[in-house]
Amino acid sequence: LNQAWTAKDWSKIRPFESDALFKEHSQLLEDYINGGKTNVLDRVAVKDAVITNYYEDSQNEYLEVTMLTNMIDYVVEDATGKVTAGDKTTLWDMEYTLKFMRSRGVKTAGNMEGLATVNCPNCGAPTEVTSQGQCEYCKSVITTGKYNWVLCSYTGRNL
């Protein structure tokens, strides 16, 4: 997430976020792009991650994870490199709550290779996920949690 954010290439994240969260993050990133700025996240370290909640509703399973991190977070003007918010030296301690969802009854494959979606889980075609979260071949929406966990909520606070 952090690498894609700083690189301003949110398309890499598409297979891993729900529709609503992807749209929200895309709009925030577009605001930085249109303003000629980059939000730099550097020296990101996850100090602890704990599953804090699991529950189900009639259609989905939900998993909440609390993550303790630290990072350097600042904003620069693209044209000048001038820091406009934050600074390049302050290491922030953060707590994030991430909520993931998937359809009830879906089982996680035991032989996951890497953290990328390589093939569409519906038709098997090489995955090129559109901005709508669809497989470009069969048009199946694969970012709904029907096939695997997707991030559907993400909040953070300074400690």
Side-chain angles (χ1 to χ4, degrees):
L1 289 171
N2 293 335
Q3 289 172 350
W5 184 260
T6 298
K8 296 191 241 182
D9 185 3
W10 208 240
S11 64
K12 293 177 182 177
I13 302 303
R14 187 64 192 107
F16 308 108
E17 285 193 329
S18 67
D19 291 341
L21 189 59
F22 181 79
K23 288 175 186 172
E24 177 184 332
H25 282 157
S26 294
Q27 184 58 57
L28 290 170
L29 192 55
E30 192 65 28
D31 291 346
Y32 278 112
I33 292 168
N34 291 338
K37 295 181 179 181
T38 299
N39 181 204
V40 179
L41 303 173
D42 196 17
R43 293 182 48 200
V44 177
V46 176
K47 300 189 304 186
D48 196 15
V50 178
I51 296 172
T52 52
N53 196 12
Y54 170 85
Y55 61 96
E56 299 178 8
D57 63 19
S58 62
Q59 296 179 337
N60 297 308
E61 298 175 87
Y62 298 90
L63 187 66
E64 292 180 5
V65 176
T66 298
M67 228 172 33
L68 299 177
T69 69
N70 57 29
M71 70 185 72
I72 294 175
D73 183 1
Y74 59 96
V75 177
V76 296
E77 290 180 345
D78 294 335
T80 65
K82 178 183 175 189
V83 175
T84 61
D87 65 70
K88 293 182 176 185
T89 59
T90 300
L91 194 60
W92 295 95
D93 288 318
M94 301 288 295
E95 178 183 81
Y96 290 99
T97 300
L98 295 85
K99 186 191 308 186
F100 299 88
M101 64 176 274
R102 71 177 178 187
S103 295
R104 284 183 67 171
V106 171
K107 300 295 180 199
T108 301
N111 59 350
M112 299 294 285
E113 294 182 22
L115 296 175
T117 299
V118 177
N119 296 93
C120 172
N122 186 55
C123 73
T127 304
E128 286 294 328
V129 180
T130 67
S131 61
Q132 290 80 31
Q134 294 178 323
C135 168
E136 68 176 356
Y137 296 98
C138 71
K139 306 300 182 211
S140 176
V141 178
I142 63 175
T143 59
T144 61
K146 180 177 180 182
Y147 301 105
N148 207 346
W149 294 104
V150 293
L151 183 63
C152 63
S153 173
Y154 179 87
T155 59
R157 67 181 182 94
N158 290 331
L159 296 178

